[in-house]
Amino acid sequence: MDNILCSVIVPMYNEEEVIPETYRRLTKVMEELNENYEIIFINDGSRDNTRSMLQELCKTDKRVKLIDFARNFGHQVAITAGMDYAAGDCMVIIDGDLQDPPELIPEMIKIWRSGYDIVYGKRISRQGETFFKKFTAKVFYRFLQKLTDINIPVDTGDFRLIDRKVCEALKQLPERNRYVRGLMSWVGFRQTAIEFERSERFAGKTKYPLKKMLKLAMDGIVSFSYKPLRLASFLGSIISMASFLYLLAVLIQRIFFPETAISGWASIIAVSLFFNGIILLMLGIIGEYIGRIYDEAKGRPLYIIRELKNMEDREGPRFKI
Ligand code: UDP
Ligand code: MG
């Protein structure tokens, strides 16, 4: 069988503590494979020594490539840039903190060779993560599956191998607030899972604080479902029906029992708080969608690159440096 080129895509944000070990383990696995490979690190605007450490690696090892972002554009954008510049016949997207075991890559390539286009890692357990993170992740993946019509596999992160075909298809989706694993389900192709135990972070702390987690969750839901918007019409119709009945009751009371019709402060406040709450909630949901429409309308590039290393000749699809 012909030798293939496998691109390994590794986003890095303030990961100085893990870089040497990640590089060591990735290189070991890829060397043993006896295939051509390249490791594309994306420095997502780190504020520590990540950038200079990756630049050093690029000097000593030409198979290491670097995409250096001009600022922090976020994990999903980083892996998108990796796919934009990858030259491989297949590519593996893997977290830089060794929570996704590189040792699984040979097995993924084997499955890919047997004819699958996407081999995604499904987490059967997660170590070293807080109860809160595990619980919210579990609930979120199931909630998202209920909301969407496409089948986005549960308990699956971005750790996966994809074929060049999938990457080319993804490049045609220019949307901004990206939930990459959802987009991959959307494009389709033959997909299969490989189960693994998600280990602890090798070092350092999570780069996904609650705020980024919520943003990712919102992107997942809003990009793949209109159901939250429909909630407005649903709640609206229920409430109008209830209000109509209440209005009838009030009228009947006013006409037939005027002496008991004393206006109550508490009930007015309760009703007004309730309705205002619902209205604000619905405005918020609509706002989530409108904000994203605005992002699309601006048509800005998805990311800005400060420098490319060991692949200066490659052209990204979105803009030139
Ligand atoms: N990451 C990134 N940009 C960010 C946040 C995270 O490139 O803004 C990278 C990070 O360096 C890591 C991967 O995305 O390689 C996953 O992040 P992390 O391990 O912190 O998330 P967790 O595993 O805790 O969900
Ligand atoms: Mg991690």
Side-chain angles (χ1 to χ4, degrees), residues 88-118:
D89 303 298
C90 67
M91 24 215 105
V92 174
I93 299 160
I94 187 167
D95 279 0
D97 59 356
L98 293 172
Q99 279 197 287
D100 307 326
E103 290 70 25
L104 230 58
I105 297 177
E107 181 65 23
M108 287 176 152
I109 292 188
K110 220 155 93 199
I111 299 176
W112 168 67
R113 283 215 144 116
S114 76
Y116 285 95
D117 300 311
I118 300 182

Side-chain angles (χ1 to χ4, degrees), residues 95 97 99 129 198 201 206:
D95 279 0
D97 59 356
Q99 279 197 287
E129 289 177 317
R198 186 159 160 92
R201 224 173 201 285
T206 177

Side-chain angles (χ1 to χ4, degrees), residues 11 13 15 44 96-97 99 133 198 201 206-207 212:
Y13 178 52
E15 300 284 13
D44 187 10
D97 59 356
Q99 279 197 287
K133 175 131 186 171
R198 186 159 160 92
R201 224 173 201 285
T206 177
K207 306 299 178 305
K212 279 189 183 169

Side-chain angles (χ1 to χ4, degrees), residues 259-275:
E259 67 286 356
T260 63
I262 307 154
S263 55
W265 165 251
S267 60
I268 290 177
I269 280 292
V271 168
S272 125
L273 284 180
F274 178 72
F275 281 94

Side-chain angles (χ1 to χ4, degrees), residues 3 14 25 28 48 90 94 102 117 163 210 229 257 284:
N3 263 17
N14 295 342
R25 264 175 69 184
K28 183 160 177 289
D48 61 1
C90 67
I94 187 167
D117 300 311
D163 187 88
L210 187 63
L229 280 178
F257 313 99

